[in-house]
């Protein structure tokens, strides 16, 4: 489920022939993907260590979106060696030190890649799967393998944004100023 400014929307099945949703979503950012009916996998990669938690729905609601299942069955597991190698290659190619990846398994149990979350949540994976993710992160930091020069993201200013980005940013700033005039005045004065 995605949460934006207090709004929460879970994943839903849509039918290609159902035109009702098209007008409602005309101006909304949305992602469509084919439905994969199996269990979910949250994979956390830290350096070259891979931690996997499988989630299986225990309710009808969880079949579409595991996040809506009140009590999914969770267990630590692994991914096939070829999937793990591909994941580690992707991780290295992106220059990531740690990230969370989401998969869903198809009818044959083959993991299907959904997304990479470079700042994805992982503590719940550690707790639910009893996986040593915190220790792996600490080990990575102590080993000094995180180079802030290599992995730093340059700060962007409004001048770095294309015109449509600038318009969106300015619109957002006006909306925030209208919601809290005192705070926007303090920001403008600093």
């Amino acid at each position: 489920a995605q949460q934006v400014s207090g709004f929460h929307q879970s994943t839903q099945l849509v039918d290609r022939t159902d035109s009702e949703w098209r007008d409602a979503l005309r101006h909304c950012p949305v992602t469509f993907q084919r439905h994969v009916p199996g269990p979910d996998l949250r994979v956390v990669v830290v350096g070259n260590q891979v931690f996997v938690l499988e989630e299986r729905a225990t309710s009808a609601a969880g079949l579409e979106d595991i996040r809506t299942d009140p009590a999914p069955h969770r267990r630590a597991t692994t991914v096939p060696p070829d999937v793990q190698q591909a994941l580690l290659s992707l991780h290295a190619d992106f220059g990531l030190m740690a990230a969370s990846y989401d998969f869903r398994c198809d009818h044959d149990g083959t993991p299907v890649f959904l997304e990479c979350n470079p700042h994805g949540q992982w503590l719940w994976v550690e707790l639910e799967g009893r996986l040593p993710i915190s220790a792996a992160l600490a080990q990575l930091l102590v080993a000094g393998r995180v180079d802030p020069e290599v992995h730093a993201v340059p700060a962007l200013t409004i001048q770095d944004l294309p015109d449509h980005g600038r318009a969106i940013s300015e619109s957002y700033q006006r909306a925030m100023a209208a919601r809290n005039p005192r705070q926007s005045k303090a920001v403008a004065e600093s």
Side-chain angles (χ1 to χ4, degrees):
Q2 186 171 357
Q3 188 167 359
V4 180
S5 300
F7 178 74
H8 171 79
Q9 181 65 46
S10 61
T11 301
Q12 300 175 28
L13 292 177
V14 293
D15 186 330
R16 287 178 193 251
T17 61
D18 183 6
S19 61
E20 183 178 319
W21 54 267
R22 289 184 190 151
D23 287 336
L25 299 177
R26 173 181 254 164
H27 302 290
C28 298
V30 68
T31 301
F32 292 97
Q33 63 192 43
R34 74 178 171 94
H35 179 250
V36 182
D40 288 78
L41 299 177
R42 171 53 72 106
V43 181
V44 179
V45 178
V46 178
N48 61 0
Q49 297 182 62
V50 178
F51 305 95
V52 185
L53 185 75
E54 178 187 84
E55 295 183 284
R56 288 189 180 268
T58 59
S59 72
L63 293 174
E64 289 179 21
D65 188 338
I66 196 70
R67 296 165 296 187
T68 63
D69 195 310
H73 173 72
R74 295 179 172 133
R75 70 179 184 94
T77 189
T78 60
V79 291
D82 61 324
V83 172
Q84 180 167 322
Q85 189 54 50
L87 189 56
L88 289 171
S89 293
L90 175 71
H91 193 75
D93 289 348
F94 283 155
L96 298 170
M97 290 283 116
S100 298
Y101 299 84
D102 293 322
F103 290 82
R104 204 147 208 229
C105 296
D106 65 13
H107 290 295
D108 300 327
T110 303
V112 176
F113 178 81
L114 300 176
E115 65 180 333
C116 170
N117 300 287
H119 302 287
Q121 297 178 9
W122 53 267
L123 184 59
W124 68 273
V125 175
E126 177 173 283
L127 297 173
E128 293 288 336
R130 300 177 191 248
L131 298 165
I133 300 170
S134 294
L137 284 165
Q139 181 182 30
L140 187 70
L141 292 169
V142 169
R145 292 182 50 204
V146 177
D147 181 352
E149 293 298 318
V150 174
H151 294 94
V153 176
L156 292 176
T157 66
I158 192 123
Q159 289 78 23
D160 297 322
L161 298 173
D163 289 336
H164 67 279
R166 184 176 300 116
I168 292 169
S169 179
E170 289 169 353
S171 175
Y172 172 77
Q173 290 172 356
R174 282 192 302 276
M176 293 308 293
R179 288 179 67 187
N180 191 347
R182 191 179 318 151
Q183 182 180 1
S184 62
K185 182 180 177 190
V187 170
E189 292 172 354
S190 60

